[in-house]
Amino acid sequence: MLSTCSTSRAAISVASNSLSKTLISSNFITNPRNLSSFSRQSLHFLTLKCYSSKNFDSNSRKMALNFSPRASAQQLKNPGELIDSVETFIFDCDGVIWKGDKLIDGVPETLDLLREKGKRLIFVTNNSTKSRKQYGKKFETLGLSVTEEEIFASSFAAAAYLKSIDFPKDKKVYVIGEEGILKELELAGFQYLGGPEDGTKKIELKPGYLMEHDESVGAVVVGFDRFFNYYKVQYGTLCIRENPGCLFIATNRDAVTHLTDAQEWAGGGSMVGALCGSTQREPLVVGKPSTFMMDYVAKEFGISKSQICMVGDRLDTDILFGQNGGCKTLLVLSGVTSLETLQSPNNSIQPDFYTNKISDFLSLKAASV
C-alpha cells in the first residue's frame, strides 16, 4: 500500500485524508527508508497534508515540521561557539566513539575537554547486542570513564518502552536478538523466550507439519541477531499474526553496522525486514530515529531539547533522531556517511554542522594554548 503512495503528487492529494491515517499509524513519515521514493517537493507537500489532518497529534506535528526543506550543512569552523550554545552532547557510539572494538583517534581527549567545560555527555547506540551494563564494560575496556546512567542502548529502550505502556507481566516477549535484550527485559521484570538459544533450532519440513508457538507471547522484539535463522522468522511471524494484539517492536532498522573496523556488515534492519515481509506489518521502532529515547533521556535528566547537540555518523538515524527531537545536530565523517553522500542532491537530510571526527573539537583547546 505504501509504495502506491509515491506514484504522483496528484494521487497523494486525492487520497490525503486516508493516507494521513495510514502513514501516521505505520510511522512512514518518520521512517527514512521510505524517503527515497519522494522528491523533496512531494515530501513537503505530503507533510503539510498530514499536518493538517485532524488525526495528526501534537508530537507528530512537531516531527513533521522537521521535514521542511533545510539549508545545506555548514562545516564546523568554530567548535567553541557550538559547545557554548548547548548544555548536553548526545553521542552515537559506532562510527563516532569506536569502530568495532577500536577506539577512534582523539576521543578520550575530546570527552575530557567537554567534561572540563561542564557539559553533560550521553551515549546512545542502536546496537542492541549488549545491555547498558555490558556497554559500560566496553567503555572501560577502551579506557573511557562512562557511567551506566550515561548509556542508552536500544536494548534498554525496548524494555523501557514495554514498561512505559504497562505491558502485562503475565505476557511473554519473544526475542529475535542477542543477550543485551534478554538482560534488559530481565532487569525490567518481563518474561521472555527466544534469543540466542533459538539460533540452533531447525524446522523439519515434512507433510502435515504444524509449528506450534506460545499463545501468551504479547510482543516480539527484533534486534541485530548473529544467530538469525528460519526458525526465528517463522516463530516470530506466528506470534505477530496469530496472537491477538501482539506487538511488533524493532530496536532499530540500521542497514549496516561496524562489527569490525575493516568493512560494513549487514545491520539489524535486515532482520527486521524479514519479519516485515512475512507479517506484512511495520514495527514500532524504539531506537533512533524514533524520538522515544530522546524523550526518555530528556525526562530522565531534566534536559531542554534545545540545549542538546546530537552527534552521529548516520544521516537517517542519528541526524534525523536529533532533528525529530528539536536538537542541534553535528555529523561526523568518521563512520558511515561520506562528504559525497552528505552533499549529494539526492540527500534531503541536512545536519546543522559537519566535521571529520569529534576530535576536531580539540582545535579549540589548541587555539587557547
Side-chain angles (χ1 to χ4, degrees):
M1 184 183 213
L2 294 179
S3 62
T4 62
C5 297
S6 62
T7 53
S8 68
R9 176 170 172 166
I12 293 172
S13 178
V14 171
S16 60
N17 291 333
S18 60
L19 279 173
S20 297
K21 298 177 184 177
T22 301
L23 297 176
I24 294 164
S25 65
S26 64
N27 291 327
F28 181 76
I29 291 178
T30 61
N31 182 357
R33 298 187 326 118
N34 297 310
L35 298 183
S36 60
S37 61
F38 287 87
S39 66
R40 293 181 67 183
Q41 181 180 12
S42 296
L43 175 62
H44 187 53
F45 175 85
L46 176 58
T47 299
L48 293 177
K49 279 291 184 183
C50 292
Y51 183 84
S52 65
S53 168
K54 64 181 180 181
N55 300 294
F56 219 40
D57 60 32
S58 58
N59 186 54
S60 297
R61 292 175 193 273
K62 292 177 183 178
M63 293 172 71
L65 287 175
N66 286 323
F67 280 91
S68 300
R70 290 176 175 268
S72 296
Q74 301 178 45
Q75 185 173 6
L76 184 66
K77 295 182 178 179
N78 189 346
E81 186 176 325
L82 175 60
I83 292 172
D84 292 341
S85 71
V86 296
E87 297 175 355
T88 301
F89 283 89
I90 297 181
F91 292 100
D92 174 47
C93 296
D94 184 17
V96 178
I97 304 298
W98 59 63
K99 276 190 175 183
D101 291 320
K102 183 178 180 181
L103 197 65
I104 294 175
D105 292 342
V107 166
E109 298 84 353
T110 304
L111 301 184
D112 288 344
L113 171 66
L114 294 175
R115 290 191 190 279
E116 288 171 7
K117 290 185 169 293
K119 304 303 174 181
R120 178 187 285 108
L121 306 184
I122 295 173
F123 302 86
V124 176
T125 174
N126 266 358
N127 190 326
S128 62
T129 60
K130 294 181 175 64
S131 64
R132 297 174 86 181
K133 187 173 184 178
Q134 289 172 314
Y135 270 113
K137 291 180 179 179
K138 177 167 184 174
F139 277 101
E140 183 179 354
T141 299
L142 292 173
L144 300 176
S145 180
V146 175
T147 66
E148 187 176 322
E149 290 70 29
E150 294 174 317
I151 303 168
F152 291 86
S154 61
S155 53
F156 172 79
Y161 174 77
L162 290 172
K163 287 186 71 172
S164 74
I165 63 171
D166 295 323
F167 184 74
K169 291 299 176 75
D170 61 337
K171 291 287 187 179
K172 299 175 184 176
V173 181
Y174 183 69
V175 177
I176 299 176
E178 300 193 16
E179 191 178 3
I181 300 174
L182 303 186
K183 286 185 174 295
E184 294 294 357
L185 289 174
E186 185 176 356
L187 286 171
F190 294 117
Q191 302 178 67
Y192 62 81
L193 63 156
E197 72 173 28
D198 278 3
T200 59
K201 295 181 179 179
K202 297 180 180 180
I203 299 175
E204 185 180 350
L205 295 176
K206 56 186 178 182
Y209 176 73
L210 177 69
M211 182 176 179
E212 296 182 352
H213 71 283
D214 192 328
E215 295 181 357
S216 67
V217 170
V220 174
V221 175
V222 185
F224 179 76
D225 190 346
R226 285 169 290 189
F227 309 96
F228 192 68
N229 61 10
Y230 188 68
Y231 179 93
K232 294 184 179 184
V233 174
Q234 178 65 2
Y235 200 100
T237 298
L238 290 173
C239 292
I240 293 171
R241 296 184 67 169
E242 297 187 11
N243 290 2
C246 184
L247 303 174
F248 177 16
I249 299 171
T251 60
N252 68 90
R253 300 189 77 161
D254 292 9
V256 297
T257 187
H258 290 113
L259 298 181
T260 70
D261 61 348
Q263 65 180 173
E264 292 180 349
W265 299 80
S270 58
M271 293 81 189
V272 175
L275 270 292
C276 290
S278 61
T279 64
Q280 293 297 289
R281 280 178 54 180
E282 289 293 309
L284 171 78
V285 181
V286 293
K288 299 172 290 185
S290 163
T291 59
F292 175 76
M293 279 204 288
M294 181 70 75
D295 295 338
Y296 189 97
V297 166
K299 183 178 180 180
E300 182 79 5
F301 292 100
I303 308 171
S304 170
K305 294 177 186 177
S306 63
Q307 288 294 306
I308 297 174
C309 179
M310 176 64 210
V311 184
D313 69 314
R314 297 173 184 261
L315 294 167
D316 60 354
T317 55
D318 303 324
I319 301 307
L320 205 54
F321 176 64
Q323 291 177 352
N324 286 343
C327 309
K328 291 184 175 65
T329 54
L330 171 65
L331 176 75
V332 291
L333 305 176
S334 53
V336 170
T337 306
S338 66
L339 182 59
E340 180 182 9
T341 299
L342 172 64
Q343 296 178 341
S344 168
N346 295 323
N347 170 43
S348 61
I349 304 174
Q350 293 290 327
D352 294 309
F353 303 98
Y354 73 90
T355 194
N356 289 322
K357 52 188 181 297
I358 65 169
S359 60
D360 289 343
F361 278 140
L362 296 175
S363 63
L364 173 68
K365 190 171 186 176
S368 63
V369 174

